[in-house]
Amino acid sequence: MKFGQKPQPKSPATKYVAGKLVVNGQHVLDSILPGMIPVLLVLLVYWLLGKKRMTPVRIILVVLVLSVALSAIGFL
C-alpha cells in the first residue's frame, strides 16, 4: 500500500475459482443491487396502492420521509 492510499475493506470470501474461471461474488452483488433497489421500491408502492388503499399523496410523503431519514443516517 502506498502512502496516502486508503486500505481496501476486507470482503467475505465470495470468490469462486474453477480452473481458469474466477467469479468474484462481491462484484456480482455490487452490479445487481443498485438495479434491485428501484424495483423493490416500485413493487412496494404498487402493493401499498393496491392492498393497503393508501393515497398517492401519503405514499409520496412516506417515500420522502424515508429518503431523508436514510440519508441522515448515511444509508443512502
Side-chain angles (χ1 to χ4, degrees):
M1 184 169 62
K2 293 182 181 179
F3 180 74
Q5 284 184 335
K6 291 184 179 181
Q8 295 295 323
K10 301 280 184 185
S11 64
T14 57
K15 189 179 280 190
Y16 176 74
V17 179
K20 292 184 179 181
L21 177 67
V22 177
V23 177
N24 187 349
Q26 188 65 44
H27 177 68
V28 172
L29 290 175
D30 288 344
S31 64
I32 292 174
L33 191 60
M36 289 299 291
I37 293 173
V39 169
L40 293 175
L41 181 63
V42 167
L43 291 175
L44 175 68
V45 168
Y46 181 76
W47 179 74
L48 288 173
L49 283 171
K51 299 288 183 182
K52 294 294 183 179
R53 297 274 188 198
M54 288 187 72
T55 63
V57 173
R58 188 176 290 169
I59 291 176
I60 291 171
L61 291 175
V62 167
V63 169
L64 180 68
V65 168
L66 280 175
S67 300
V68 171
L70 291 174
S71 293
I73 63 172
F75 190 73
L76 293 178

